[in-house]
Every structure is written in C-alpha cells, then in structure tokens.
C-alpha cells in the first residue's frame, strides 16, 4: 500500500470517527456540525497526573475533539511528558474510551529539525494524527526581513517532508508572528512566503487585543486556514500585565491581554467569525482556556447558529 493510500484511508477513518462523535450522546456540534474542540495546552500537567481522567473530564464537559501538545512540551515544563510513556495503542484506547477524537497536535519547531523530524513523524502517524501545528516559527521579536525569509524557507522544506508522510503542517501565531518587520506584521508577510500547498494557518482569537481580527484575515486569505483557537475577551477592560519570565505561557505570547471571558460573553462577534471561517478554509476549532472558562463556553457553541 502506498503512502498516499495509507494517508487517504487514515483521513477517511478520522472523518467517520468525527461523524460518530457528533452523533453520539445527543449533543449537537454547532456551528456547521463541527465537533466542539479543546486545545489541551492548559491541561498538560493534569494529563501527566491522570491522562484518562483528564480526557473523561473534557468529554463530560461536552468536548468532542481535542488538540494535544507533543510529549516534548514537557522539556519546557508544560506537561505532556506522560504521552511518551504510553504506547500508541494505549493512547488511542484512552481517547476512544472517553468518546473523543484527536487528529491534531502542537509541536515545537525544535522537534521538526534534523534527526528529530523522523521521530516526530513516526509519533504522530502511529497515533492517527493528520495535522501538526507549531505555535511559532520561534524567530526574534525584532526580526530582519532576511531572518523572516530564512525561517519561512525552512518551514516550507519541513512541510514538504511532512506532507509526504500524510501530515498537514499549520502555523499558529505567537510572539514572533505578531511582531513587525519593515513596517508590516510578520504574520502578514508569511502569507506571501509560505507555500499554500504545504502550509495552512491556525488563528489565535485572543490576538484581537492587538488589532488582529479573525474575520478580516479569513476573508483576505481564502482557503489558507485550517483551524482556530477560541478565546473571548473583554476589549473594554484594561490590559493585564505580562506573565513573569519562566511562567507557564510566558513564551507563547500571552502577555498584555484583556480579561478572558467564556465564548459568547466577550467582545468577539462569533456569528461573523464563523461565517468568515468557512471562507478562510477553517475545518475545526479548539477552545483554549482553563477548565472553568471552557465549561462555560460549551453551551454557547452547542447552540450557535450561523
């Protein structure tokens, strides 16, 4: 069986699983019947302490699909190291027993370089993942255009390799992508430098606090996105101070943000966002907030009609 055919069959199986999740438990998954997703970054240490229990907690809250972070995130003290201590079969069993699906994971750029890339590809493929996303290309906060171009070229080369293995690369946007180069936002420049046949984008909704409006990006760049991370924020409130150096999230662009609110209780127009998301090519979304905010967000998403 060719690699292309294996990739096709794996994608078909994931689609069937997603349909089963949407139909199970009497839960609707609005809008567009997309599974209600959760990015597990806020739960990395809980996963280390009790992976099955954390999955069941998410499922009981109404989550149907999860996006993980790779076990090598543990090297940055974010948790997830336990995922490297269980087999692929056990990984799938735990997620399946909770009634969840998982096709996507965040990875660090360092995991995609050199001899680490085959290790990452094998880890993802054995667990049935089809999407690999990086939170950032990890460039400097004040880059030159040559530095931006060099990182984009590197990521295009990496994405060509992972595509042959049936894994779609996607770029989230954190500190580096939101910085400026020659009077333009790096994120905007990367739409010109990254190959649309190889790289998709994942939109971080909380960046509305710095003027980045999701529906504007989705309509300006049709088909370039694959997913989005959901937070709602109160733009009328003052900005919070950045987290101290070394704190969880300090390296992920979390500083200076307005108060986070449950989805539907902040300033973001979610009907407009989801309508534009279709144009942008978005296929799934993941709530990325703490447990209390996540649980308060699910009912709104369950009933949201666009």
């Amino acid at each position: 069986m060719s690699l292309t055919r294996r990739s096709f069959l794996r994608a078909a199986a994931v689609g069937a699983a997603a349909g089963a999740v949407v139909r199970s438990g009497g839960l609707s998954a609005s809008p567009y019947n997309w599974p209600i997703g959760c990015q597990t970054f806020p739960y990395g240490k809980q996963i280390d302490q009790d992976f099955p229990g954390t999955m069941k907690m998410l499922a009981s809250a109404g989550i149907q699909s999860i996006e993980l972070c790779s076990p090598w995130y543990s090297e940055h003290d974010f948790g997830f190291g336990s995922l490297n201590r269980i087999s692929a079969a056990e990984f799938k069993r735990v997620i399946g027993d909770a009634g969840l699906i998982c096709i996507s994971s965040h990875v660090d750029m360092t995991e995609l370089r050199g001899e680490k890339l085959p290790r990452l590809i094998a880890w993802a493929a054995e667990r049935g993942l089809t999407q690999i996303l990086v939170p950032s290309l990890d460039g400097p906060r004040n880059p030159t255009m040559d530095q931006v171009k060099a990182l984009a070229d590197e990521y295009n080369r990496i994405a060509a390799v992972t595509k042959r293995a049936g894994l779609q690369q996607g770029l989230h946007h954190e500190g580096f992508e939101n910085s400026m180069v020659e009077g333009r936002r790096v994120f905007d420049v990367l739409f010109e430098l990254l190959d649309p046949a190889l790289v998709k984008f994942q939109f971080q909704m909380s960046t509305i606090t710095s003027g980045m409006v999701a529906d504007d990006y989705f309509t300006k760049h049709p088909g370039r996105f694959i997913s989005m991370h959901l937070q709602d924020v109160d733009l009328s409130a003052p900005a919070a101070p950045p987290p101290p150096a070394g704190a969880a999230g300090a390296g992920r662009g979390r500083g200076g943000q307005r108060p986070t609110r449950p989805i539907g209780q902040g300033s973001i127009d979610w009907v407009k966002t989801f309508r534009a998301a279709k144009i942008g090519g978005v296929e799934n979304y993941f709530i990325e907030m703490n447990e209390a905010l996540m649980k308060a967000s699910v009912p709104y998403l369950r009933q949201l009609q666009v």
Side-chain angles (χ1 to χ4, degrees), residues 40-255:
T40 56
F41 180 75
Y43 313 105
K45 294 188 177 181
Q46 289 176 243
I47 285 172
D48 274 354
Q49 295 169 1
D50 185 359
F51 180 35
T54 304
M55 296 300 100
K56 290 176 182 177
M57 177 276 290
L58 293 173
S60 68
I63 296 300
Q64 300 165 310
S65 173
I66 62 166
E67 181 177 65
L68 284 170
C69 295
S70 83
W72 296 283
Y73 264 44
S74 62
E75 298 174 4
H76 305 286
D77 199 32
F78 293 141
F80 300 99
S82 63
L83 300 182
N84 225 5
R85 298 191 291 270
I86 62 174
S87 67
E90 178 69 3
F91 174 94
K92 292 178 179 179
R93 184 193 66 76
V94 168
I95 291 173
D97 284 353
L100 300 169
I101 59 172
C102 179
I103 62 171
S104 182
S105 180
H106 268 220
V107 306
D108 191 89
M109 272 294 289
T110 59
E111 300 166 37
L112 298 175
R113 292 179 171 131
E115 63 185 21
K116 293 183 179 180
L117 180 56
R119 178 186 73 172
L120 187 281
I121 288 174
W123 181 85
E126 289 167 0
R127 285 153 183 79
L129 305 184
T130 58
Q131 300 172 15
I132 294 296
L133 297 102
V134 293
S136 174
L137 298 184
D138 288 343
R141 289 301 179 100
N142 296 294
T144 65
M145 185 61 76
D146 284 344
Q147 288 172 319
V148 174
K149 289 179 178 178
L151 285 166
D153 288 344
E154 178 190 32
Y155 195 45
N156 279 329
R157 292 192 297 271
I158 291 169
V161 175
T162 57
K163 182 177 182 179
R164 291 194 293 270
L167 297 169
Q168 172 67 59
Q169 279 290 333
L171 176 62
H172 190 76
H173 53 109
E174 296 286 358
F176 167 67
E177 287 71 25
N178 301 338
S179 62
M180 304 296 290
V181 60
E182 297 185 3
R184 300 177 65 195
R185 201 184 298 270
V186 170
F187 192 56
D188 297 330
V189 174
L190 288 172
F191 281 95
E192 301 167 5
L193 298 178
L194 293 174
D195 187 341
L198 300 174
V199 176
K200 299 291 186 180
F201 290 84
Q202 180 182 69
F203 199 88
Q204 172 82 352
M205 292 299 302
S206 63
T207 56
I208 192 173
T209 59
S210 58
M212 300 177 73
V213 180
D215 42 276
D216 290 344
Y217 275 91
F218 294 152
T219 54
K220 184 178 180 180
H221 302 286
R224 296 296 301 272
F225 289 85
I226 193 168
S227 59
M228 52 186 175
H229 278 183
L230 270 54
Q231 306 88 14
D232 213 338
V233 293
D234 182 358
L235 294 179
S236 66
R252 289 173 58 91
R254 299 291 192 250

